[in-house]
């Protein structure tokens, strides 16, 4: 066999009795988490179930989890397929062919990834509204210590959302990239992400990218000709718009943090909360970038992976052991990202009650919008 290709064993974690024990424990924990979250919804102990209706909350919750599985798995496929000649799967996977023809043209992959990230945050926010417990919620007569572990800490929501909506799709898509997005569900998801990118809400990320190129003394890489005239004005106008949104959001969050109007744990100094926010956001950014980089090189032969020593060592670690390490990284990465987001949400979620002074003296309606997160 050519050394350009590596043997991949698709049997992950089922080789020893210990592996099967871990699978059984995982199934129990995920199943238990799903049951208690559904029980919360059925008894009206989540925000959406209380404000709208338990049935609506349950339907929205699982619709969002299913959509999340396409968002996460679709990213794996979209990032991993560019090195593959599209003509090879034009007949066998026609929908995948069309999606990749759009998504891999010019810089459209960057645009898709930008919109997709905002979509992930929005869907997770909606899932939280539908399934996260209200303060003091009790279900199924569970002991207080179990309630504290699974509900108060958010572990039940994390296990349900990460395992069902994210990890399973990522692991499957990492091995079945063509099959996974060969559906119009992905067509819909792609165009929603593209539409979000057009709004410019996330365009600050492009500015940060350009700053990294400039700091490295390298020209900005692009698969499209330089923007001119109206295109240039449209692009930089959205960058300014995005900077304004980001700056205002940071100002509101930091002001609320130092006024003691967030959900930060009692006894934790505000400055520690601010440091946690920036450190954990940096960790999340690093892990998100690593995910995209790893899927990009997954389909490249060794000869095309470059010669940078650290990058080569990383690839050797990632793709050895019969291909097990990439899905293993994806599992650990997703759990870490979710945990980071949970802590970030606890640090920054604004909680201004009735009668308290609003942030920057805004109206109650605007303050209620801030409170949604």
């Amino acid at each position: 066999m050519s050394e350009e290709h590596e043997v991949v064993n698709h049997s992950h974690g089922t080789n020893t009795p210990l592996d099967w024990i871990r699978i059984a424990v995982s199934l129990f924990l995920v199943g238990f988490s799903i049951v208690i979250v559904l029980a919360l919804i059925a008894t009206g102990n989540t925000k959406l179930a209380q404000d709208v209706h338990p049935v609506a909350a349950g339907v929205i919750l699982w619709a969002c989890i299913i959509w999340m599985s396409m968002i996460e798995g679709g990213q794996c496929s979209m990032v991993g397929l560019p090195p593959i000649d599209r003509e090879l799967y034009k007949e066998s996977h026609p929908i995948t062919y069309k999606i990749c023809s759009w998504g891999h043209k010019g810089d459209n992959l960057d645009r898709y990834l930008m919109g997709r990230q905002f979509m992930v945050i929005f869907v997770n926010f909606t899932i939280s509204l539908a399934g996260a417990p209200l303060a003091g919620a009790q279900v199924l007569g569970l002991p207080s210590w179990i309630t504290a572990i699974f509900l108060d800490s958010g572990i039940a929501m994390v296990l349900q959302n990460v395992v069902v909506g994210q990890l399973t799709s990522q692991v499957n898509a990492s091995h079945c990239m063509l099959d996974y997005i060969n559906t119009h569900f992905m067509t819909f998801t792609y165009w929603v992400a593209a539409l979000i990118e057009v709004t410019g809400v996330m365009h600050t990320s492009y500015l940060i990218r350009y700053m990294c190129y400039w700091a490295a003394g390298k020209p900005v890489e692009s698969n499209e000709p330089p923007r001119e005239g109206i295109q240039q004005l449209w692009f930089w106008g959205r960058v300014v718009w995005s900077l304004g949104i980001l700056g205002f959001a940071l100002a509101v969050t930091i002001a609320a943090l130092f006024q003691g109007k967030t959900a930060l744990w009692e006894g934790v100094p505000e400055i520690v909360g601010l440091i946690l926010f920036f450190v954990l956001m940096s960790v999340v950014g690093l892990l998100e970038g690593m995910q995209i980089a790893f899927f990009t090189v997954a389909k490249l032969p060794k000869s095309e992976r470059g010669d940078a020593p650290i990058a080569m060592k990383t690839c050797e670690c990632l793709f050895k052991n019969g291909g097990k390490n990439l899905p293993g990284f994806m599992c650990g990465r997703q759990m870490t990202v979710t945990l980071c987001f949970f802590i970030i949400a606890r640090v920054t979620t604004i909680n201004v009650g009735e009668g308290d002074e609003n942030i920057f003296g805004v109206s109650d309606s605007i303050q209620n919008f801030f409170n949604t997160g």
Side-chain angles (χ1 to χ4, degrees), residues 154-223:
I155 289 296
M157 285 289 289
V158 169
L159 287 173
Q160 173 188 264
N161 301 344
V162 170
V163 175
V164 179
Q166 296 175 304
L167 282 181
T168 304
S169 59
Q170 289 174 353
V171 172
N172 287 337
S174 70
H175 290 298
C176 309
M177 294 182 182
L178 289 172
D179 295 322
Y180 201 91
I181 61 172
N182 195 43
T183 167
H184 286 302
F185 191 14
M186 180 60 193
T187 304
F188 169 75
T189 301
Y190 172 83
W191 286 112
V192 171
L195 180 62
I196 291 173
E197 192 276 342
V198 169
T199 66
V201 174
M202 312 289 285
H203 268 51
T204 300
S205 300
Y206 290 126
L207 178 61
I208 296 173
R209 177 194 179 202
Y210 291 165
M211 291 172 65
C212 291
Y213 275 110
W214 296 332
K218 296 181 178 180
V220 177
E221 295 182 2
S222 176
N223 297 317

Side-chain angles (χ1 to χ4, degrees), residues 243-263:
L243 279 170
I245 293 174
L246 176 62
F248 183 69
L250 282 173
V252 169
T253 300
I254 293 173
L257 180 62
F258 280 93
Q259 292 174 23
K261 296 177 179 177
T262 73

Side-chain angles (χ1 to χ4, degrees), residues 31-40 42-43 45 137-143 147 151:
F32 181 67
S33 298
I34 292 172
V35 168
I36 60 175
V37 169
L38 289 177
L40 279 172
T43 54
N45 278 307
Q138 296 285 336
V139 292
L140 304 177
L142 296 173
T147 300
L151 296 182

